[in-house]
Amino acid sequence: MTKRILTGDRPTGPLHLGHYVGSLRNRVRLQEEYDTHILIADLQALTDNFEHPEKLSHNVHEVALDYLAVGLSPERVKIVVQSMVPELAELTVYFMNLVTVATLERNPTVKEEIKQRHFGKRVPVGFWAYPISQAADIAIFKAHLVPVGEDQLPMIEQTREIVRRFNTLYGEVLVEPEALIGEVARLPGTDGSLKMSKSLGNCIYLGDPPEVLRKRVMSMFTDPTRIHATDPGHVEGNPVFTYHDAFNPDTAEVDELKQRYREGRVGDVEVKQRLYEALERFLAPIRETRAAYAAKPEQVREIIMEGTRRGRETAQATMKEVRAAMKLDYLRA
Ligand code: TRP
């Protein structure tokens, strides 16, 4: 049996370089080897956007374009829209019995997100409980592997706990998944903050045109202790070099720049200029593929519909087993 991958993204906007190093790169690399399903998690995005659900449809299309642009093959990969698989809602309800309030309240990623969103005491239950629905996303596809960014590790751990609990109570139906983190665990924002994030406005998007890319790279945060190009500079923890390491395949160039930087023999402008060139080499073909698909929205829609149809079949098959294991199929044939 081919092993399966399930992962996904909230359609809250176009995807950026952080998504690429964290997860997209692994998805592209493994798509031949694994039966891959990628979920556009519009219901998860809704937990945070329920007052403006109209925002979602545009973003669903944008995220699908990003998937196709980075080289996920529509022949191999099933792109699945979460809201069109109602079986996910059913499994989420069953899973709610298998998680305690205390466990949910300990989830560090959700805690952090609640803080960022200034919910205060008014956290919507849908948002607070989304790790349960994410566990259903993974479990319904019986995924073995979940390529994700580092911030998603608590979700995978939660899923593993729920799956173990389910299997112990009802029988071995579900698969305990493993997380797979990108080689570059976390890409800092262009402003040097810990993480690239839309809300911080510190992202480079996969679809950014060259002029935007140049502007974002040239205004990047570097070594704050370095004032003149002749001062010895720090390479470790310097976002410009983190990006070079992640995206510049010319390691000889990167090593040489690092050495000169440490010795105070190169200015930030040159290091950034080289980074811009490397990123442009990386992004140009992605941008081109993206534009080609963007010109054919009907074809993209069909790819999503077909992926969703096939994904739903898998979900339905799992739910049959789930109901039987839970003895909930009394009135069904
Ligand atoms: N939580 C993920 C994000 O913030 C999106 C997501 C939803 C997901 N369901 C998933 C990721 C299942 C991995 C597996 O982008």
Side-chain angles (χ1 to χ4, degrees):
M1 194 186 82
T2 337
K3 291 202 168 182
R4 204 172 276 155
I5 278 180
L6 181 286
T7 183
D9 302 276
R10 292 178 200 173
T12 52
L15 302 181
H16 52 62
L17 294 181
H19 293 112
Y20 188 82
V21 296
S23 169
L24 292 170
R25 192 176 348 227
N26 276 332
R27 301 179 198 178
V28 174
R29 181 169 65 86
L30 296 171
Q31 63 181 333
E32 303 292 331
E33 204 179 315
Y34 283 78
D35 176 25
T36 301
H37 292 71
I38 304 201
L39 197 69
I40 303 187
D42 57 341
L43 293 182
Q44 193 175 111
L46 191 68
T47 64
D48 199 9
N49 290 280
F50 59 88
E51 290 165 306
H52 299 284
E54 70 284 355
K55 281 190 193 165
L56 298 179
S57 75
H58 172 72
N59 288 330
V60 166
H61 187 76
E62 289 294 307
V63 167
L65 286 178
D66 284 330
Y67 291 163
L68 296 165
V70 295
L72 289 169
S73 149
E75 278 86 47
R76 295 222 41 103
V77 168
K78 269 90 50 199
I79 299 177
V80 182
V81 176
Q82 191 183 31
S83 61
M84 288 167 74
V85 184
E87 288 75 16
L88 286 169
E90 183 186 351
L91 187 57
T92 301
V93 171
Y94 301 159
F95 278 0
M96 284 186 171
N97 299 316
L98 310 181
V99 187
T100 65
V101 169
T103 309
L104 278 181
E105 281 176 344
R106 268 200 304 273
N107 189 305
T109 299
V110 179
K111 263 198 203 162
E112 182 55 36
E113 289 173 330
I114 285 173
K115 231 192 271 160
Q116 277 173 14
R117 284 164 178 76
H118 306 291
F119 283 134
K121 291 235 169 295
R122 303 177 54 84
V123 186
V125 172
F127 186 86
W128 174 77
Y130 87 75
I132 305 178
S133 117
Q134 185 159 338
D137 297 341
I138 298 167
I140 214 163
F141 290 101
K142 298 192 179 177
H144 303 86
L145 199 64
V146 190
V148 280
E150 196 185 41
D151 62 313
Q152 295 296 302
L153 287 178
M155 308 302 162
I156 315 307
E157 197 41 51
Q158 176 75 85
T159 306
R160 291 168 61 87
E161 275 172 37
I162 293 175
V163 164
R164 279 197 296 267
R165 193 94 210 286
F166 183 100
N167 287 348
T168 307
L169 284 170
Y170 307 121
E172 289 285 328
V173 172
L174 302 176
V175 173
E176 213 178 304
E178 304 270 350
L180 177 69
I181 303 298
E183 228 176 280
V184 182
R186 200 197 302 114
L187 198 67
T190 54
D191 61 352
S193 55
L194 231 47
K195 192 178 144 181
M196 227 180 229
S197 135
K198 193 178 64 142
S199 53
L200 297 173
N202 61 7
C203 302
I204 294 174
Y205 293 99
L206 295 171
D208 277 347
E211 3 17 300
V212 175
L213 174 65
R214 176 186 289 277
K215 220 192 294 159
R216 295 197 204 272
V217 171
M218 295 320 277
S219 62
M220 258 175 88
F221 182 98
T222 61
D223 176 359
T225 66
R226 189 170 187 248
I227 298 160
H228 308 288
T230 49
D231 297 344
H234 297 89
V235 164
E236 280 69 37
N238 184 331
V240 180
F241 283 103
T242 309
Y243 283 45
H244 263 296
D245 284 334
F247 294 101
N248 190 345
D250 186 349
T251 50
E253 178 184 55
V254 177
D255 288 345
E256 191 248 0
L257 283 173
K258 283 181 179 172
Q259 184 164 356
R260 283 166 60 210
Y261 200 82
R262 289 196 181 98
E263 293 167 358
R265 292 193 293 112
V266 64
D268 280 349
V269 174
E270 183 183 341
V271 182
K272 288 178 176 177
Q273 176 61 29
R274 304 278 195 94
L275 175 61
Y276 164 73
E277 285 159 15
L279 281 173
E280 179 53 25
R281 281 192 294 275
F282 170 71
L283 286 177
I286 293 178
R287 203 185 288 131
E288 207 172 296
T289 310
R290 200 180 197 284
Y293 278 109
K296 294 178 282 186
E298 195 45 41
Q299 189 191 346
V300 175
R301 187 174 163 274
E302 259 158 42
I303 291 170
I304 301 175
M305 293 296 287
E306 179 60 12
T308 302
R309 191 190 61 73
R310 293 170 68 191
R312 189 168 180 206
E313 272 174 15
T314 303
Q316 285 172 328
T318 304
M319 287 316 287
K320 257 200 190 139
E321 292 179 62
V322 163
R323 290 182 209 112
M326 294 178 72
K327 316 252 184 298
L328 288 172
D329 54 352
Y330 15 80
L331 293 180
R332 291 179 208 250

